[in-house]
Amino acid sequence: GAAAEDGERESYVVATDNAYVPFEFLDEETGELVGFDIDLMTAIAEEAGFDIEFEAMEFDGIVAGIGSGRFDIGIAGMTITEERKENIDFSQPYYDAGLIVAVHADNDEINSVDDLDGKVVATRTGSTSETYIRENTGGTPEAFPQITEAYQNVIQGRADAVIYDIPNVQYYASTEGGGQLKTVGEALTGEEYGIAFPKGSELRDIADEALTTLKENGTYADLYEKWFGE
Ligand code: ARG
């Protein structure tokens, strides 16, 4: 564990987001930060024997803040990429995701990623989708600091489509999206989420070991079922 010499438990700042359903978001009734990432990180800290304090910020700030060593840990549905690995050490993968196209529920013109040439494609600033749109679609990326704005732009007809992480699109479409957003086509990429640590952090191995235990003892499966219902 990470117990300090004097017997006090170590405490670490965990950088996260507060608008990425169902991984980290504010509970409408209580205003509390909840979600799969929040539960998983809390269970890891408990298993490893350290305390954590979540600090919510914009996603690109998390990537930058972990890279510069400003925060000890980051959990935010962050895809493990070769580019990020230059500045960030990742845990083992903890969630399999990927990107998908979504359009207004009434749109029958865009049926897959091949129909995006010349279209306005909304997403979140600094996400893997922003790069994907630029490199693979022929569409113009329009990046927003909050993904909800991207979805709203599609629903209100100001953007043609959105590309973003499958679990977030599906969760939003079936909740706040209120039937006005639909996914089209196949998964565009396979992506794995990892917990982020500053380069060379000793905490990475400690957290990774705890994550392995949670995968083995059924805790991970319980949390997965709680948030994804499978
Ligand atoms: N998986 C994508 C990425 O790593 C999007 C993550 C967005 N996460 C968030 N908390 N807003 O770029």
Side-chain angles (χ1 to χ4, degrees):
E5 306 270 320
D6 58 6
E8 296 263 313
R9 284 155 68 97
E10 294 283 358
S11 186
Y12 300 104
V13 177
V14 179
T16 188
D17 189 3
N18 60 17
Y20 189 61
V21 291
F23 295 89
E24 48 266 345
F25 60 105
L26 299 177
D27 183 280
E28 266 181 40
E29 269 152 44
T30 65
E32 258 177 83
L33 190 60
V34 296
F36 179 71
D37 281 351
I38 305 304
D39 282 353
L40 184 64
M41 196 59 232
T42 302
I44 287 172
E46 210 171 324
E47 175 64 34
F50 56 78
D51 293 328
I52 49 173
E53 201 184 309
F54 289 103
E55 203 174 308
M57 64 201 71
E58 286 187 359
F59 181 70
D60 28 334
I62 304 170
V63 178
I66 294 293
S68 69
R70 219 175 121 214
F71 308 111
D72 305 305
I73 308 172
I75 189 161
M78 194 187 295
T79 303
I80 302 170
T81 67
E82 288 308 314
E83 194 191 339
R84 288 177 182 158
K85 275 199 214 158
E86 286 171 20
N87 300 309
I88 290 174
D89 280 350
F90 284 99
S91 69
Q92 61 182 294
Y94 71 88
Y95 186 88
D96 290 329
L99 304 181
I100 193 112
V101 180
V103 295
H104 192 286
D106 297 337
N107 185 325
D108 48 19
E109 186 196 344
I110 297 171
N111 298 302
S112 83
V113 68
D114 301 326
D115 301 327
L116 293 178
D117 199 21
K119 304 285 185 198
V120 175
V121 188
T123 193
R124 189 185 203 305
T125 314
S127 64
T128 46
S129 329
E130 194 183 357
T131 313
Y132 185 91
I133 295 164
R134 197 165 280 127
E135 292 177 355
N136 300 287
T137 68
T140 308
E142 192 171 11
F144 296 91
Q146 291 299 340
I147 192 62
T148 321
E149 295 173 61
Y151 293 140
Q152 284 303 319
N153 269 266
V154 173
I155 288 171
Q156 290 160 16
R158 288 195 297 266
D160 300 302
V162 64
I163 293 184
Y164 208 46
D165 296 54
I166 298 166
N168 184 261
V169 177
Q170 286 177 339
Y171 197 92
Y172 185 88
S174 66
T175 54
E176 284 157 80
Q180 299 188 80
L181 202 70
K182 66 172 181 193
T183 60
V184 291
E186 307 278 298
L188 304 176
T189 56
E191 300 191 2
E192 291 179 321
Y193 293 169
I195 303 168
F197 300 88
K199 273 263 165 230
S201 162
E202 287 172 16
L203 206 50
R204 193 262 301 263
D205 290 349
I206 295 167
D208 221 32
E209 201 180 307
L211 178 53
T212 300
T213 305
L214 300 180
K215 283 180 175 176
E216 284 167 3
N217 72 13
T219 305
Y220 176 94
D222 289 346
L223 294 180
Y224 194 96
E225 196 192 330
K226 172 179 171 190
W227 291 103
F228 306 104
E230 285 160 44

